[in-house]
Amino acid sequence: MDVYSHLNGSASAAGRSATTSSTSPTQITAGTPTHNTPPNATLSSTSAANESDGSAQSGQLQLQQPAASVPAACLACRGKHLKCDGMTPCSRCLASNSECIYIASRRGYKGPRRNTAANPNKRHASSSPDVSPSASGDGCPMLLGHTSVSAHAVPAPTMTAVSAFHPAVVLPATEPASPFVPAPPGGMASLQVFRNPYLNGTQSRPMAVIPPTQHQPSLAERCFDAFYHFFHAGHPFVLPRDSMVRLMKEGTTNLDAVVAAMRYIGSLYIDAGPARAMYLDEAIRLCYQPTTPKDGFLIQALLLLIIGLDGSCQQERARELLADCERIAVEINLNTRSFAAMHGRGNLVMEESWRRTWWDLYVCDGMIAGVHRITNFLLFDIVADVGLPCEEDQYLTGDIPQPMYMDDFDDQLFSGEDRPFSSFAYRIAAMRNLGRFMRTPVSLFPGDENVAKIESLLTNWKIHLPEEKRHNVDKKCKLDEMMFQGHFITHACTIMLHQPLSQLDSSPARAVTSCAPHRPIASGESYNVHTQHTITAAYEISQMITQPVPILSHTHFFTCVITLASIVHLSKWALYFLPEEEDLRQQIRLNIGALTKISEVWKAANTACGQVKGVAQEIYRTKKAHQINPAFWVGFTQEEMISSLNADEGIMQEIEGMLAVTQPQ
């Protein structure tokens, strides 16, 4: 089964059916404008006129008979194996604004003939219509997903189906070109032999005269590619691209739901138009239809939808799917060690995918609970003995080692064994610390021993990291997204642990509620150790934005972590005067810039960005009102007063400039 046929589903078949019903044989009527015919093309109406009984009857027959077969096709239509109307230019080239060129066909040519007719209007045997794909089924391999059509079938129009499950809806092929046109899957490019449309149907050899037209990916294909290009590294539990393509070509039926969910996620990163909503609806329908088996692929599809909905400001709907996903995962024993081996089909990569599916569900459940503070991290209390995932390069290349387990991770300092653990394993450990914090009673006073216990867990996670795991880059100096997430989970947990006991009044940032409800925190006269922990963690989160990678390469959960750090920065900026005003200004600028960029894909970031801007404006106006009172400046030198005024004015100008084109929806 061809992978792109699977991606497009029944859309191409429906497109052919719709075209057949809407395209009728053209009738020549008086006053109808026509194009100039190509030099080797003649009308075949003379014979029909000779067989009629009179001139009137001849004219009537001429009007009613179907259009004559086209003696030649232009190069563009030949290269695409499409029907050409023989006009100059033809209607297809005219519609696509392409150059329309005709060359004489050499079908049936047997060398020069003697006594060649001098009549230029005489139709020769070598003037043949355009060549259709072979009826034997050997269609052009450039047209991935192409199926041969009969001689009487009308070819599909140049329209791209937007959904395999909504065949009646099509979009014009005017989408911007994908910046990541994929290579043919499975390295098949070296094995392809292109069929020459200028040869007889029984002959086949590489095309020597004119190269075939490059396949233009459909919207479904581009969404599939966008999923792997932008999203997969942040939540790498779905099979790697090559493995997924191989299963799709084999015709695995229970992939429909997860592929539909992948298309929905990919559509968030490109201009998909109304197809985005259709992909979402279709993915949800497939997940909940009675015939869909409850297996690991269903868990993967639901998890993708949960992540996408949460980042698209549909948190309530995401929580509903999360409850179903967790229930089904436990029902099918995804949390057990034996699940991967029992359902891996003897494929080590698939076994690794099942392990990653459980642990990514675990991490996402914790992230949603931590940043939104509405759910309670249900999976933290579920007993699981699933093997830990391997490194990302091992997963992508299929070099899967023997898995290790959380017991091995916890005992590594005492067992005496120097065993390296993957970045994914450290990400899981960071989320487990957040779960322990969420199970700790709320601290109402400094010095609480529960706070000290959680801080010990967070500090141990950081100080026992191997050297190569400390800087969010792998051995090839590329972003290690799993360690990146592990670090920001730890920083976010630090803020949530220490902020309630800090001396930073949170009331100035009470309007920032895009991720979680406001938590009132009383102000104090001086900094304490909890304040320092909170400010340091917020600073570290802002510095993570400076990583030399596209901000959209991170998981969308980074949005709420940036928002959490912004609340700390704004609370600190609300103080009347700070010696480090300039450094704070740069941190706020970093956070707003990151939220602005992330909002290009995720609506939740757009909402957070607008709220942070509104709070900054409110703090600025409040400080200005205080600065009008001369008593405010008692004890300040003139240099400190000028520095404070300039810093406040500068940060507001930058915020206004960066958010001029980004307004909350």
Side-chain angles (χ1 to χ4, degrees), residues 66-185:
S69 60
V70 180
C74 68
L75 297 184
C77 291
R78 287 188 181 188
K80 297 178 181 178
H81 294 275
L82 297 175
K83 200 76 171 180
C84 182
D85 57 14
M87 299 300 179
T88 306
C90 71
S91 59
R92 294 187 185 277
C93 292
L94 190 63
S96 61
N97 198 22
S98 303
E99 185 178 7
C100 191
I101 301 175
Y102 288 85
I103 66 170
S105 173
R106 297 184 60 83
R107 168 172 283 193
Y109 179 68
K110 300 180 179 180
R113 300 177 61 182
R114 298 181 180 180
N115 301 325
T116 303
N119 184 1
N121 294 322
K122 183 176 180 181
R123 177 175 175 179
H124 299 282
S126 61
S127 297
S128 59
D130 59 316
V131 181
S132 301
S134 173
S136 63
D138 298 330
C140 176
M142 277 293 284
L143 302 177
L144 299 178
H146 172 75
T147 55
S148 59
V149 296
S150 65
H152 301 286
V154 180
T158 55
M159 305 278 280
T160 302
V162 298
S163 173
F165 305 96
H166 297 272
V169 184
V170 293
L171 287 180
T174 56
E175 294 288 343
S178 173
F180 37 84
V181 178

Side-chain angles (χ1 to χ4, degrees), residues 625-643:
H626 283 289
Q627 290 169 356
I628 295 175
N629 186 357
F632 173 80
W633 299 108
V634 174
F636 288 86
T637 65
Q638 184 177 5
E639 182 180 358
E640 290 174 338
M641 181 180 66
I642 294 174
S643 175

